[in-house]
Amino acid sequence: MLKEILTGVTVNVAVTLIHLAATLLLIVLFPYFERVIRNNHTAHLVISLVVVNFILLNAHVVEVGIWAAVYLHLGLVEQAEDAFYSAFVNYTTLGYGDVVHTTPARLMSPMTAGSGIMMFGWSTALLIYVLQLHLPRLRRRDGER
């Protein structure tokens, strides 16, 4: 059990670092969007949300891939496609129940789900932050009419 917990915590740290890298990439990109799209606040909001969503979605896919690699390494599944599917089902907390891990590794599923919950919460917070940055600009523009 301790080995599973340590593995889960280690993978969760790796997943967190992936999400941190995606967040830092967004921080680097945002000033660029400010310079390119100065006066059209609606376009800036739309492009910002699409870019944020795209980058974060790709981060989630990479994170699921890390979990899938662990599933393969631990022998929880035999094929890479099954590992990715199983990791994705757990990461998103869908829990279809069609994949049940053996007793020695059954903590990997809830560890994966906990990781996914945290990363989706982080992604949601970033999307809300982008909206909060843009809404005052849009309100001022609408009030100027």
Side-chain angles (χ1 to χ4, degrees):
M1 183 169 97
L2 182 60
K3 183 180 176 185
E4 280 183 273
I5 291 172
L6 289 175
T7 301
V9 168
T10 302
V11 175
N12 195 30
V13 168
V15 163
T16 300
L17 292 174
I18 297 292
H19 230 72
L20 178 60
T23 302
L24 293 174
L25 176 62
L26 292 170
I27 290 170
V28 168
L29 289 177
F30 261 81
Y32 173 76
F33 291 133
E34 284 290 332
R35 287 191 300 273
V36 172
I37 310 168
R38 286 192 184 140
N39 297 325
N40 190 337
H41 298 299
T42 303
H44 191 275
L45 171 63
V46 170
I47 290 170
S48 296
L49 286 173
V50 168
V51 168
V52 169
N53 196 22
F54 178 79
I55 289 172
L56 292 175
L57 180 61
N58 281 290
H60 286 292
V61 170
V62 170
E63 292 156 12
V64 169
I66 291 170
W67 280 107
V70 170
Y71 285 17
L72 273 174
H73 178 73
L74 294 176
L76 300 178
V77 290
E78 294 180 12
Q79 296 180 344
E81 296 84 12
D82 292 336
F84 200 81
Y85 169 77
S86 181
F88 229 132
V89 166
N90 288 318
Y91 184 86
T92 59
T93 69
L94 285 174
Y96 285 141
D98 57 343
V99 178
V100 178
H101 298 299
T102 60
T103 302
R106 66 180 174 195
L107 286 179
M108 284 297 102
S109 295
M111 296 289 284
T112 306
S115 175
I117 289 168
M118 288 188 291
M119 296 307 109
F120 281 120
W122 186 338
S123 294
T124 301
L126 286 172
L127 288 166
I128 295 299
Y129 178 71
V130 169
L131 283 170
Q132 287 177 328
L133 285 176
H134 288 84
L135 288 179
R137 295 177 189 170
L138 292 171
R139 285 186 189 131
R140 272 183 291 197
R141 195 186 96 198
D142 289 344
E144 293 173 358
R145 290 182 186 179

